[in-house]
Coordinates of all heavy atoms in Angstrom, one line a residue:
D98 N 18.0 13.1 23.5 CA 18.2 13.0 22.1 C 19.6 13.6 21.7 O 20.3 13.0 20.9 CB 17.1 13.7 21.4 CG 17.2 13.5 19.9 OD1 17.4 12.4 19.4 OD2 17.2 14.6 19.2
S99 N 19.9 14.7 22.3 CA 21.2 15.4 22.0 C 22.4 14.5 22.4 O 23.3 14.3 21.6 CB 21.3 16.7 22.7 OG 22.5 17.3 22.5
V100 N 22.3 13.9 23.5 CA 23.4 13.0 24.0 C 23.5 11.8 23.1 O 24.6 11.3 22.7 CB 23.2 12.6 25.5 CG1 24.1 11.4 25.8 CG2 23.3 13.8 26.4
Q101 N 22.3 11.2 22.6 CA 22.3 10.1 21.8 C 23.0 10.4 20.4 O 23.8 9.6 19.9 CB 20.9 9.6 21.5 CG 20.8 8.4 20.6 CD 21.5 7.1 21.2 OE1 21.3 6.8 22.4 NE2 22.3 6.4 20.5
R102 N 22.7 11.6 19.9 CA 23.3 12.0 18.6 C 24.8 12.1 18.7 O 25.6 11.7 17.9 CB 22.7 13.3 18.1 CG 21.4 13.0 17.3 CD 20.9 14.3 16.6 NE 20.0 14.9 17.6 CZ 20.1 16.2 17.9 NH1 20.9 17.0 17.3 NH2 19.3 16.7 18.8
E103 N 25.3 12.7 19.9 CA 26.7 12.9 20.1 C 27.4 11.5 20.2 O 28.5 11.3 19.7 CB 27.0 13.7 21.3 CG 26.6 15.2 21.2 CD 27.4 15.9 20.1 OE1 28.6 15.6 20.0 OE2 26.8 16.8 19.4
F104 N 26.7 10.6 21.0 CA 27.3 9.2 21.1 C 27.4 8.5 19.8 O 28.4 7.9 19.5 CB 26.4 8.5 22.1 CG 26.9 7.1 22.3 CD1 28.0 6.8 23.1 CD2 26.2 6.0 21.7 CE1 28.4 5.5 23.4 CE2 26.7 4.7 21.9 CZ 27.8 4.5 22.7
D105 N 26.3 8.6 19.0 CA 26.3 8.0 17.6 C 27.5 8.5 16.8 O 28.2 7.8 16.1 CB 25.0 8.2 16.9 CG 23.9 7.4 17.5 OD1 24.2 6.5 18.3 OD2 22.7 7.7 17.2
A106 N 27.7 9.9 16.8 CA 28.8 10.5 16.1 C 30.1 10.0 16.5 O 31.0 9.7 15.7 CB 28.7 12.0 16.2
L107 N 30.3 9.9 17.9 CA 31.6 9.4 18.4 C 31.8 7.9 18.0 O 32.9 7.5 17.7 CB 31.7 9.6 19.9 CG 31.9 11.0 20.4 CD1 31.8 11.1 21.9 CD2 33.3 11.5 19.9
S108 N 30.7 7.2 18.1 CA 30.8 5.7 17.7 C 31.3 5.6 16.3 O 32.1 4.7 16.0 CB 29.5 5.0 17.9 OG 29.1 5.0 19.2
R109 N 30.7 6.4 15.4 CA 31.2 6.3 14.0 C 32.6 6.7 13.8 O 33.4 6.1 13.1 CB 30.3 7.2 13.1 CG 28.9 6.7 12.8 CD 28.2 7.5 11.8 NE 28.1 8.9 12.1 CZ 27.2 9.5 12.8 NH1 26.2 8.7 13.4 NH2 27.2 10.8 13.0
L110 N 33.0 7.7 14.6 CA 34.4 8.2 14.5 C 35.4 7.1 14.9 O 36.4 6.8 14.2 CB 34.6 9.5 15.3 CG 36.0 10.0 15.4 CD1 36.4 10.6 14.0 CD2 36.1 11.1 16.4
F111 N 35.1 6.5 16.1 CA 36.1 5.5 16.6 C 36.0 4.2 16.0 O 36.9 3.4 16.1 CB 35.9 5.4 18.1 CG 36.4 6.7 18.9 CD1 35.5 7.4 19.6 CD2 37.7 7.1 18.8 CE1 35.9 8.6 20.2 CE2 38.1 8.2 19.4 CZ 37.3 9.0 20.1
S112 N 34.9 3.9 15.3 CA 34.7 2.6 14.7 C 35.4 2.6 13.3 O 35.5 1.6 12.7 CB 33.3 2.2 14.5 OG 32.6 3.0 13.6
G113 N 35.8 3.8 12.8 CA 36.4 3.9 11.5 C 35.4 3.9 10.4 O 35.8 3.8 9.2
R114 N 34.1 3.9 10.7 CA 33.1 3.9 9.6 C 33.0 5.2 8.9 O 32.5 5.3 7.8 CB 31.8 3.5 10.2 CG 31.7 2.0 10.6 CD 30.3 1.6 10.9 NE 30.0 2.1 12.3 CZ 28.9 2.7 12.6 NH1 27.9 2.8 11.7 NH2 28.6 3.1 13.8
G115 N 33.5 6.3 9.6 CA 33.4 7.6 8.9 C 32.0 8.0 8.6 O 31.2 8.2 9.4
G116 N 31.7 8.1 7.3 CA 30.4 8.5 6.8 C 29.5 7.4 6.4 O 28.5 7.7 5.8
N117 N 29.8 6.2 6.8 CA 28.9 5.1 6.4 C 28.4 4.4 7.6 O 29.0 4.3 8.6 CB 29.6 4.1 5.5 CG 29.9 4.7 4.1 OD1 29.0 5.4 3.5 ND2 31.1 4.5 3.7
T118 N 27.1 3.9 7.5 CA 26.6 3.1 8.6 C 26.8 1.6 8.3 O 27.2 1.3 7.2 CB 25.1 3.4 8.8 OG1 24.4 3.0 7.6 CG2 24.8 4.9 9.0
D119 N 26.5 0.8 9.3 CA 26.7 -0.7 9.1 C 25.8 -1.2 8.0 O 26.1 -2.2 7.4 CB 26.4 -1.4 10.4 CG 27.5 -1.2 11.4 OD1 28.6 -0.9 11.0 OD2 27.2 -1.3 12.6
D120 N 24.6 -0.6 7.7 CA 23.7 -1.1 6.7 C 24.0 -0.6 5.3 O 23.2 -0.8 4.4 CB 22.3 -0.9 7.1 CG 22.0 0.6 7.4 OD1 22.8 1.4 7.1 OD2 20.9 0.9 7.8
G121 N 25.1 0.1 5.2 CA 25.5 0.6 3.8 C 25.0 1.9 3.4 O 25.2 2.4 2.3
Y122 N 24.2 2.6 4.3 CA 23.7 3.9 4.0 C 24.7 5.0 4.4 O 25.2 5.0 5.5 CB 22.3 4.1 4.6 CG 21.3 3.3 4.0 CD1 20.9 2.1 4.6 CD2 20.6 3.7 2.9 CE1 20.0 1.3 4.0 CE2 19.6 2.9 2.3 CZ 19.3 1.7 2.9 OH 18.4 0.9 2.3
A123 N 24.9 6.0 3.5 CA 25.8 7.1 3.8 C 25.1 8.1 4.7 O 23.8 8.2 4.7 CB 26.2 7.8 2.5
L124 N 25.8 8.8 5.5 CA 25.3 9.8 6.4 C 25.6 11.2 5.9 O 26.8 11.6 5.9 CB 26.0 9.6 7.8 CG 25.7 8.3 8.5 CD1 26.5 8.2 9.8 CD2 24.2 8.2 8.9
Y125 N 24.6 11.8 5.3 CA 24.8 13.1 4.7 C 24.1 14.1 5.7 O 23.0 13.7 6.3 CB 24.2 13.2 3.3 CG 25.0 12.4 2.3 CD1 24.5 11.2 1.8 CD2 26.3 12.8 2.0 CE1 25.2 10.5 0.9 CE2 27.0 12.0 1.1 CZ 26.5 10.9 0.5 OH 27.2 10.1 -0.4
G126 N 24.6 15.3 5.7 CA 24.0 16.3 6.6 C 22.6 16.7 6.2 O 22.3 16.9 5.0
V127 N 21.7 16.9 7.2 CA 20.3 17.3 7.0 C 20.1 18.5 7.9 O 20.4 18.4 9.1 CB 19.3 16.2 7.3 CG1 17.9 16.7 7.1 CG2 19.5 15.0 6.4
D128 N 19.5 19.5 7.4 CA 19.1 20.7 8.2 C 17.6 20.8 8.0 O 17.1 20.8 6.9 CB 19.7 22.0 7.8 CG 21.2 22.0 8.1 OD1 21.6 21.3 9.1 OD2 22.0 22.7 7.5
I129 N 16.8 21.1 9.1 CA 15.4 21.4 9.0 C 15.2 22.7 9.8 O 15.6 22.8 10.9 CB 14.6 20.2 9.7 CG1 14.9 18.9 8.9 CG2 13.1 20.5 9.6 CD1 14.2 17.7 9.5
R130 N 14.5 23.6 9.1 CA 14.1 24.9 9.8 C 12.7 25.2 9.3 O 12.2 24.7 8.4 CB 15.2 25.9 9.4 CG 15.3 26.2 8.0 CD 16.5 27.1 7.7 NE 16.8 27.1 6.3 CZ 16.2 27.9 5.4 NH1 15.3 28.8 5.8 NH2 16.5 27.9 4.1
E131 N 12.2 26.2 10.1 CA 10.8 26.6 9.7 C 10.6 28.1 10.0 O 11.4 28.8 10.7 CB 9.8 25.9 10.5 CG 9.6 26.3 12.0 CD 8.5 25.6 12.7 OE1 7.4 25.4 12.0 OE2 8.6 25.3 13.8

Side-chain angles (χ1 to χ4, degrees):
D98 183 52
S99 178
V100 170
Q101 181 65 45
R102 276 188 271 130
E103 291 296 325
F104 180 76
D105 290 345
L107 286 173
S108 295
R109 285 191 305 275
L110 177 67
F111 290 116
S112 70
R114 289 187 283 136
N117 292 314
T118 62
D119 287 336
D120 57 8
Y122 289 95
L124 298 173
Y125 294 109
V127 177
D128 291 335
I129 300 175
R130 57 190 172 83
E131 75 172 323

